Amino acid sequence: MSTCAGNFYNHSREVTSTQLTVIREFRDFSASDLEMVAQLLQMQHFLAGEEIVRYLDHSDNVFFVLEGGVRIHYFGYSGDEVILCDLSQGEFFGELTAIDGQPRSATVVARSDSLLAVMSNQAFIRLVHESPVFCMAIMQRLAGQVRRLTERVFDFSTLAVRNRIHAELLRLARQHMDSPNTAIIKPAPTHAELACFVSTHREAVTRELSELARNRLIQRTGHELRVLDVERLRKMVDLARGPVGD
């Protein structure tokens, strides 16, 4: 069972089927199936900055983000932070350890006060076996993760720092589109956070963002980062990546 920390609410610990509808892997479940899944879960609250699981620990629960958001990261031997991804409401994590029984592959912390639904690894595996809908959703999720990691390895192996910054901005923009060709990333990542995403230093990010702003491709307003021409940014990234081989 999980050894993670966490502050439980004092009131009802039950997760409702309505709350589960925010989780994309449960959206095709019938009302009765959602009720069944809700009985397998326990609600847990984490404060902003609180550690949920730790790199290489042996906890094995799966966590579904009902409210708030989390960051998945780890620190290299040099002490440099590597941010793998941020997950928001509707996402989940912990499935790798639940599936293969290996130690945690990264540390997860709450980015903001977050409400999570916690499922034991035994219940998770049973659900995969018993629900074809859930099983397919998990397979699609894992396939998506492999594709994203493959793209990231390609970028880190072939792109210059400035092009990696462009690629990360494009990824964020696609998640925050507010029109067919513009995006508002809110809250905007700090320069230090962007540096951790693309394995560089803050000064390089600052220089490149200033250049993009001068070229009227982005605009920083308070805690928002506006991408003014997503298609132009996409073309810059595609040009840097070059033609894709067979």
Side-chain angles (χ1 to χ4, degrees):
M1 297 297 293
S2 173
T3 58
C4 67
N7 297 318
F8 283 92
Y9 285 125
N10 292 325
H11 55 270
S12 173
R13 305 294 337 118
E14 294 181 357
V15 177
T16 68
S17 58
T18 301
Q19 287 175 305
L20 291 182
T21 59
V22 303
I23 308 299
R24 65 188 65 183
E25 284 73 17
F26 292 141
R27 288 175 185 167
D28 292 330
F29 275 42
S30 66
S32 59
D33 286 342
L34 282 177
E35 290 288 351
M36 180 272 294
V37 172
Q39 296 175 17
L40 303 175
L41 296 162
Q42 190 172 43
M43 199 179 297
Q44 197 168 4
H45 178 246
F46 292 87
L47 301 176
E50 188 173 1
E51 185 177 274
I52 303 169
V53 300
R54 181 176 297 176
Y55 176 57
L56 294 182
D57 78 21
H58 293 277
S59 62
D60 55 16
N61 287 342
V62 179
F63 298 83
F64 299 86
V65 184
L66 302 180
E67 297 176 12
V70 303
R71 168 159 292 170
I72 301 178
H73 68 162
Y74 61 87
F75 290 90
Y77 289 115
S78 64
D80 294 333
E81 181 185 18
V82 178
I83 300 176
L84 298 179
C85 65
D86 291 333
L87 300 179
S88 56
Q89 182 188 63
E91 300 279 359
F92 72 94
F93 60 93
E95 73 275 18
L96 296 184
T97 291
I99 291 171
D100 65 15
Q102 297 299 307
R104 297 292 189 183
S105 58
T107 293
V108 183
V109 298
R111 294 191 69 204
S112 59
D113 290 358
S114 299
L115 185 63
L116 308 182
V118 187
M119 180 182 289
S120 71
N121 73 312
Q122 297 96 333
F124 178 82
I125 295 300
R126 186 167 69 250
L127 188 59
V128 169
H129 280 290
E130 295 178 354
S131 171
V133 172
F134 189 66
C135 182
M136 178 57 69
I138 295 302
M139 288 194 295
Q140 290 174 339
R141 175 184 175 84
L142 293 176
Q145 289 177 346
V146 171
R147 291 183 184 277
R148 286 191 295 274
L149 288 173
T150 299
E151 183 178 89
R152 193 168 186 182
V153 169
F154 177 85
D155 287 350
F156 274 50
S157 302
T158 63
L159 298 186
V161 168
R162 67 186 303 265
N163 302 125
R164 296 205 303 271
I165 295 170
H166 298 167
E168 183 61 24
L169 286 176
L170 179 62
R171 184 188 69 82
L172 292 172
R174 285 171 168 167
Q175 295 176 355
H176 298 85
M177 300 294 291
D178 73 322
S179 82
N181 195 39
T182 61
I184 300 177
I185 303 170
K186 183 174 64 173
T190 66
H191 293 190
E193 287 174 327
L194 272 176
C196 292
F197 273 114
V198 301
S199 189
T200 188
H201 49 84
R202 181 177 57 81
E203 292 77 12
V205 172
T206 300
R207 285 196 301 270
E208 188 55 34
L209 293 188
S210 296
E211 180 66 20
L212 293 174
R214 281 194 295 271
N215 290 326
R216 306 183 69 82
L217 192 58
I218 65 171
Q219 180 183 53
R220 185 82 180 229
T221 306
H223 296 294
E224 297 179 354
L225 181 64
R226 296 176 179 266
V227 180
L228 305 176
D229 191 339
V230 175
E231 178 61 17
R232 181 180 165 200
L233 182 61
R234 182 194 64 78
K235 290 179 179 179
M236 291 168 60
V237 173
D238 287 348
L239 181 63
R241 285 173 174 163
V244 178
D246 294 333

